[in-house]
Amino acid sequence: ESVSYSNNNLAVPDLEGKEHLGNGVYRIYNANGITIDYNVYDGVWTINGIATGGIFTNLANNITLGQLTAQMIIISGSGTFSSDGWRFATVETIEGRILFVEGPYVKTYNKIDNIDNLRFNIRNGTQFDNFQFKLQLEKGDTATPYTVPLQPYLWHEKRLSFDDGFRDGESLGYSDGYDAGLLDGEDIGYDDGYAVGYDDGYEGGT
């Protein structure tokens, strides 16, 4: 399946300090009986668990004000939803959020509050069974075809490159250090042995 990446999708999760589960999947949230995971390669969100308390969690570190168009693409899974969902705009109105339970899954509204671009509201007792979806947030009043947020993908690839380089450097440094130490040990052992043998031989000869 072809995947398109773009900086136009502002529904960008904060991956800093989050656990990498493998294959580009990060655990963005793990508390109150709920786990929320995000896949940097395809932009799929996955929620599991039963909420043991009300959850109002910000999952990004960016705030975009003005007219915004949000869309939610439901993929699979189920849950016992009612007013649970994604709040993307002003707090006071239902027009500024998209509910998991029903459409419309595309909305345009103005954000005037300092609300994180990815704020999920989950009620106490709500159950999620491998509930998967995609999110897109854009400036303006028009919803365009979905693209995977580019920033998390690049962040992940940079992290992989750093980890690979660190491991390779650590391994190579250990090997080079071991070899150098072995050679130094042989040299020192030879010199010390030669000196002792020379002294012993000289004393025996006299």
Side-chain angles (χ1 to χ4, degrees):
E1 180 182 358
S2 176
V3 176
S4 297
Y5 297 90
S6 171
N7 282 318
N8 294 328
N9 188 348
L10 303 175
V12 178
D14 181 13
L15 303 183
E16 191 69 39
K18 302 302 189 297
E19 179 186 4
H20 181 214
L21 303 179
N23 298 319
V25 177
Y26 285 82
R27 179 135 297 171
I28 307 297
Y29 182 85
N30 185 9
N32 298 307
I34 293 294
T35 61
I36 303 177
D37 300 332
Y38 177 78
N39 189 319
V40 302
Y41 291 125
D42 57 17
V44 172
W45 293 83
T46 304
I47 306 182
N48 277 296
I50 302 175
T52 57
I55 300 172
F56 306 92
T57 182
N58 296 320
L59 302 180
N61 59 2
N62 52 328
I63 297 171
T64 306
L65 301 179
Q67 188 178 52
L68 299 171
T69 296
Q71 59 177 308
M72 179 184 294
I73 302 169
I74 305 298
I75 299 174
S76 61
S78 61
T80 58
F81 316 130
S82 61
S83 59
D84 314 89
W86 169 34
R87 184 177 295 282
F88 69 92
T90 305
V91 170
E92 290 80 4
T93 174
I94 187 63
E95 293 305 317
R97 59 181 174 171
I98 295 179
L99 304 182
F100 296 135
V101 68
E102 61 185 358
Y105 289 116
V106 177
K107 287 187 176 181
T108 297
Y109 206 72
N110 289 323
K111 183 176 1 178
I112 60 175
D113 304 341
N114 289 327
I115 298 174
D116 194 300
N117 286 353
L118 287 173
R119 177 179 173 86
F120 288 170
N121 295 353
I122 299 174
R123 295 175 309 110
N124 181 27
T126 298
Q127 180 174 348
F128 295 85
D129 182 10
N130 204 39
F131 183 62
Q132 295 188 321
F133 55 93
K134 297 180 181 180
L135 301 176
Q136 180 148 294
L137 184 65
E138 304 170 86
K139 292 181 179 180
D141 61 358
T142 303
T144 63
Y146 177 81
T147 56
V148 179
L150 179 61
Q151 299 95 317
Y153 169 77
L154 293 178
W155 187 94
H156 171 70
E157 290 298 311
K158 183 178 180 181
R159 172 178 169 174
L160 289 183
S161 297
F162 176 85
D163 290 345
D164 289 344
F166 183 88
R167 284 192 296 268
D168 290 346
E170 184 181 37
S171 176
L172 183 60
Y174 177 87
S175 298
D176 288 351
Y178 180 87
D179 292 343
L182 184 63
L183 292 175
D184 287 346
E186 288 177 347
D187 290 343
I188 293 171
Y190 177 86
D191 291 342
D192 289 349
Y194 180 88
V196 171
Y198 182 89
D199 291 342
D200 289 346
Y202 181 82
E203 291 176 0
T206 57

